[in-house]
Amino acid sequence: RKNDRKQKLAGFSLPTKEVMDAPYEFYEQLVELEKVLTDAATTSVRLVTNPEKMVIKESLRAHAYLSLYNVGTDLVIANRIIPDAVQDPFFQRWKEQQEQYRHEIHENFRPLPVREIPLYSEEMCGIAALERLKETLYGDEDPAQVYYKETTLRVIQEGENYSLEVYLPGIPKDQVELSKTADELNIRIGNHRRNLVLPQALAAMSPAGAKMEEDYLKIRFAA
């Protein structure tokens, strides 16, 4: 009866235990999902790009943002490559431009493996067409394998100091903003931001400088 009086005075009933536990269960599910998505041995993204200036730029941007959130990319696919068999003069200039951009794709996404798909004379629809595409892209290989497993985040000890290396391909250093709050390092690129919870060895230190080197943002920490 005492509980009944409290409930009546409050004017509403308390939620059940299941309702109270739901946010915690949802959070735990998100944590487990993050572990799956950021495990480079089991989860990866494959970027498909075209040999065109703006498409390559947007693919590099997508790769950088995936790396920022520690989601691995294991393969880049260059699509719609005009075959050598096409000799029509109308396509000659287009083929020359594609040759330049094909080189850029291989260079800009290094060390990721790059594979190419030709421009087919018909739309790739239906099982037979997809089988043909699979043979061109993977041959006898297992498409489910992970082609590149390198981590996009590394902590390097240098004497008494440490450096945190974040793989951000194609991003100039002047576009990166860094700040540190307690044990979190905040990395911002444009409108995208990631908060990295630092390991204990770095949490007590302060960022002492940063530089871009071979597509890695290398952040130096000092006591």
Side-chain angles (χ1 to χ4, degrees):
R1 294 183 60 82
K2 184 177 181 180
N3 289 337
D4 291 342
R5 287 197 298 271
K6 286 184 177 180
Q7 182 174 337
K8 185 176 181 180
L9 288 173
F12 61 88
S13 59
L14 294 175
T16 64
K17 184 178 183 300
E18 288 76 11
V19 174
M20 295 292 289
D21 290 342
Y24 299 99
E25 294 175 357
F26 180 65
Y27 175 77
E28 290 174 354
Q29 291 173 357
L30 289 179
V31 170
E32 292 303 314
L33 177 60
E34 181 182 14
K35 290 179 181 178
V36 173
L37 293 178
T38 57
D39 183 357
T42 58
T43 303
S44 65
V45 172
R46 289 178 186 169
L47 294 174
V48 180
T49 189
N50 291 345
E52 301 172 14
K53 182 177 181 179
M54 293 306 298
V55 181
I56 295 172
K57 184 176 180 180
E58 289 305 312
S59 297
L60 284 169
R61 191 191 309 274
H63 187 205
Y65 290 148
L66 288 167
S67 299
L68 186 64
Y69 294 104
N70 205 24
V71 177
T73 300
D74 76 321
L75 184 65
V76 176
I77 300 171
N79 194 22
R80 301 174 65 85
I81 306 298
I82 300 176
D84 293 335
V86 177
Q87 297 296 325
D88 192 311
F90 178 82
F91 291 98
Q92 186 58 37
R93 177 57 179 159
W94 195 0
K95 290 174 68 176
E96 292 173 359
Q97 289 181 334
Q98 281 201 351
E99 187 65 28
Q100 172 190 343
Y101 290 131
R102 287 165 68 186
H103 176 74
E104 289 187 14
I105 290 171
H106 284 267
E107 288 298 316
N108 290 338
F109 286 99
R110 188 184 303 272
L112 291 175
V114 177
R115 298 197 175 181
E116 298 184 347
I117 297 177
L119 175 64
Y120 290 103
S121 59
E122 58 189 21
E123 189 175 3
M124 291 289 100
C125 291
I127 299 299
L130 292 178
E131 285 288 347
R132 179 184 175 191
L133 183 62
K134 181 262 181 185
E135 288 298 321
T136 301
L137 192 56
Y138 300 111
D140 295 330
E141 298 175 353
D142 179 8
Q145 68 177 290
V146 178
Y147 286 90
Y148 186 81
K149 299 180 181 179
E150 291 296 325
T151 181
T152 57
L153 287 175
R154 302 186 300 212
V155 177
I156 309 296
Q157 184 174 5
E158 301 168 340
E160 296 182 356
N161 298 326
Y162 290 83
S163 65
L164 176 67
E165 300 182 356
V166 185
Y167 190 48
L168 298 176
I171 299 297
K173 178 178 175 293
D174 58 8
Q175 293 186 13
V176 180
E177 298 180 13
L178 297 175
S179 62
K180 182 176 178 291
T181 304
D183 63 346
E184 290 190 1
L185 180 70
N186 307 306
I187 303 176
R188 180 185 292 274
I189 303 175
N191 294 326
H192 294 260
R193 184 182 67 181
R194 182 184 181 188
N195 295 334
L196 294 177
V197 178
L198 297 171
Q200 188 174 4
L202 300 181
M205 298 183 175
S206 300
K211 63 179 180 179
M212 290 296 301
E213 188 175 291
E214 297 179 350
D215 286 333
Y216 276 90
L217 174 64
K218 298 187 176 183
I219 309 163
R220 190 174 74 259
F221 286 79

